[in-house]
Every structure is written in C-alpha cells, then in structure tokens.
Amino acid sequence: MMSADARPPIVVNVLTGFLGSGKTTLLNTLLSRPDFSDVAVIINEFGSIGLDHLLVETIEEGMVLLQSGCICCTIRGDLKEAILSLFEKQKSGRIAPFNRLIIETTGLADPAPIIATLTADLMLKYHFSMGNIVTVVEVPNGQHNIETYTESARQVAVADRLVITKTDIAEAEATSALIANLSSMNPTASIEISDPANPAASLLLTEDIHDLASRPADVRRWITAERYHDHAHSPIEDVNVHGAIRAISFTTPNAISWPRFSTWLSLLVHRHGEKLLRIKGIIGVEGIETPVVIHGVQHLIHQPVHLAEWPGGDRGCTIVIIADGDIGDIPRSFSAFVDAQHDVAPVLERL
C-alpha cells in the first residue's frame, strides 16, 4: 500500500529527432509555457546544448534553472545516474519538486536503449513511468536522413508522436510526401505539424500515450491505419522502402486464446527482441467482452490494458509490429500459433 506521503511516479517523456530537426527549438517553445513550470529536463547531448538564452541561474555543476522554472541538466555519462541524482536532489529539497521529466536525446541517439533504461531498471520503475516518445522530423532533410542514417529511421519507428518542423521553408508537396512516408513507416504514431501558436502545443508532451485506457482515439488509429504495402498479403522481404525497417500489420476477425497469444508473444520477443522497435495491438480475448491493448518496445512488453469498450464496431485482433530487419513471416506464425486446431511445434521452430 502506498504511504500517505508517497508521490505517484514521475512521468518521463523522451524527445528525439535527428541532427538539425528542430527538437531543441520545440523544447524551448514548450518550456516557455506556464504549464511546464514543474518539469525537469535532461539533455543528453555532446557539445553546446543551445539553451544559453534560457539560462537564469547555475544551481551546481551541470545543472541550471530555466526561465520557465524548469530544472535542466546536461549529461555525457550514465543516464540512470543522472535521473536518480535529479530525484534525490528534489527529494532532499535542493531543487524544487517536479512532476514530469523530459529527456532530449542527442541527434544521433537510438532511443530504444533509453526507453529500456527507464522501463527495465527496478529503481527507476519505482519512481518513474513512461509518458510518450516524441520524434521531431524536419521537412527539408527529413526523408534524406531517414534513408541515409539508421538512427533517424529508428527514431521515427519508435515514436508515439511524430512532429513535423520547418514546413515554412518547404514546398507543400514535400510536406505531404514526408507525412505519407512517415505514416507508412510508423502507422501507429500520430503526426502533428509544429505550430508554436497552437494553444494545444503542450499536449505534444503532456497528453501521455502510455495511459492507453484513456486514449481510444489512438487505438482506433491502430485499427484503421493504412497498411504498409499490405504486409498480410505480400512477402516481407519484398518490402525495403525504408532500408531494413518495416512495419508489419495484420488482423484476425476472431477472439483468441490469451495463453496461446502470450506464449507466442514471449517467444517472439525472446527470439527477435532487439529487432522489435515497436509492438502495438488491440486483442480480442476469448471469454472477455472488452478489448485488451498491448504495447511494447524491443524486449519490454508493458502491462496489458483493458479498455472499457471497443473503439468502433470491429472486433477481433489488430497488431502492428515495426521491426529492424527480417523477423520472418509473422502473420503466418501468429495465425498458426493462436489457432487451437494447429500443432504449435512446427511454429516454435520458425519463430
């Protein structure tokens, strides 16, 4: 039982994007808003952090107070130590309490290890919970970066929200083409055009995707998302539009056995964990009237969430997997494994 003075976990958001995408500009804009006054910021960056015009007071080495009231620190070392150091300092009263932590990654970062640190470490899990992953993509160079640099493609693949920047210096056709490409790479992510004048801009970070039970609109997006080259009907190896990263979407009209599904998912994660950049799905489970939502990154599968009702009339199962590399014929293995009439032994050999 939680003690009377215990606080709920601090929500962590990861803000990522390739070099020059505009993530620091977006962060600066958001931090100027009054609803970000109880936020701490960790910038995992090499060299200048580009926040000099926001610095007000040096608290101690590596830590500053921003005009918004946010605490900001820079790190070049261990992320876990930096997070726990912030937590201990606010606990002891050396810095003001904060309810949200924003981690801005370096432009060359693969966000997956950061997410793994936050969600797998026992000490961090007790005090912090994942909010959402926001990836910033600029129009002029975004598609080139995705096609050229694996880091950029992975940043797109793991995102809960994709924010498009620099539309003011790009043709409308280029913006539309980039949005279409991003939608095919990550059909489960929402896509927003960066607009500092938008009063709802702060929701990019504060409307947390991790709270799936309160977000049926996102679940509907998973169901209605445009299929990425219709993977259910074409060989995965034929699709190589975005290098090694591909989205695999498939559906089944029937409810499934939860024990069989959880075993299939566990085996899939055990075999291909590092390649599974993102797993999202809504599952109809035998014996349960309402849907179950699954959500995971690489080896980490979050606690399933039960929704109060189905988002729309369709039931059954819809799963979207974004993978880095070939992970085999996943729709076929899913169909074979969850069907109680099949012998699962041959499937075990293919997973």
Side-chain angles (χ1 to χ4, degrees), residues 21-44:
S21 61
K23 57 185 179 296
T24 300
T25 300
L26 174 64
L27 181 60
N28 290 350
T29 301
L30 296 178
L31 292 180
S32 67
R33 303 175 65 87
D35 44 349
F36 277 80
S37 60
D38 59 352
V39 170
V41 180
I42 288 179
I43 298 181
N44 183 18

Side-chain angles (χ1 to χ4, degrees), residues 44-287:
N44 183 18
E45 185 64 274
F46 295 97
S48 173
I49 63 174
L51 289 172
D52 293 344
H53 61 291
L54 291 179
L55 307 187
V56 175
E57 176 186 355
T58 300
I59 301 175
E60 55 184 271
E61 183 179 359
M63 187 174 296
V64 296
L65 181 67
L66 306 183
Q67 286 182 349
S68 62
C70 302
I71 300 298
C72 177
C73 67
T74 61
I75 63 169
R76 292 181 175 86
D78 186 78
L79 178 63
K80 174 184 174 180
E81 290 184 5
I83 295 174
L84 291 177
S85 175
L86 271 178
F87 181 80
E88 290 300 324
K89 286 169 183 172
Q90 65 106 27
K91 185 178 179 181
S92 63
R94 283 182 283 169
I95 62 175
F98 56 93
N99 296 320
R100 183 176 297 272
L101 173 63
I102 300 174
I103 299 174
E104 180 189 346
T105 76
T106 174
L108 293 174
D110 177 355
I114 295 175
I115 300 163
T117 297
L118 292 166
T119 54
D121 185 88
L122 293 179
M123 293 181 68
L124 294 180
K125 284 174 64 176
Y126 186 77
H127 298 294
F128 297 88
S129 66
M130 273 300 301
N132 55 38
I133 305 157
V134 178
T135 297
V136 181
V137 184
E138 59 158 318
V139 179
N141 300 304
Q143 188 58 37
H144 169 76
N145 292 338
I146 291 168
E147 294 172 351
T148 306
Y149 303 101
T150 301
E151 296 88 350
S152 179
R154 290 174 71 89
Q155 289 165 2
V156 170
V158 303
D160 293 302
R161 295 185 186 279
L162 293 162
V163 180
I164 310 298
T165 60
K166 304 184 182 181
T167 57
D168 57 325
I169 58 173
E171 298 291 336
E173 293 79 5
T175 301
S176 298
L178 177 61
I179 291 175
N181 286 331
L182 295 177
S183 295
S184 66
M185 285 186 69
N186 187 344
T188 68
S190 63
I191 300 177
E192 311 285 346
I193 301 294
S194 176
D195 181 5
N198 181 0
S202 62
L203 296 180
L204 290 172
L205 289 172
T206 58
E207 193 176 62
D208 298 316
I209 303 286
H210 82 283
D211 187 10
L212 295 173
S214 64
R215 299 191 59 78
D218 284 315
V219 178
R220 277 197 296 273
R221 175 178 173 78
W222 303 353
I223 296 175
T224 60
E226 179 181 355
R227 300 295 180 242
Y228 184 69
H229 292 277
D230 197 5
H231 285 280
H233 301 288
S234 60
I236 294 173
E237 53 270 23
D238 289 347
V239 181
N240 196 33
V241 176
H242 298 288
I245 295 176
R246 71 266 337 256
I248 306 164
S249 303
F250 54 95
T251 63
T252 178
N254 303 317
I256 61 174
S257 161
W258 181 258
R260 278 181 168 251
F261 170 76
S262 60
T263 302
W264 172 83
L265 183 61
S266 296
L267 291 169
L268 181 68
V269 170
H270 178 74
R271 176 71 180 273
H272 301 294
E274 292 185 359
K275 295 182 178 181
L276 302 175
L277 300 182
R278 182 60 103 189
I279 303 173
K280 292 186 178 182
I282 180 168
I283 307 298
V285 179
E286 293 175 352

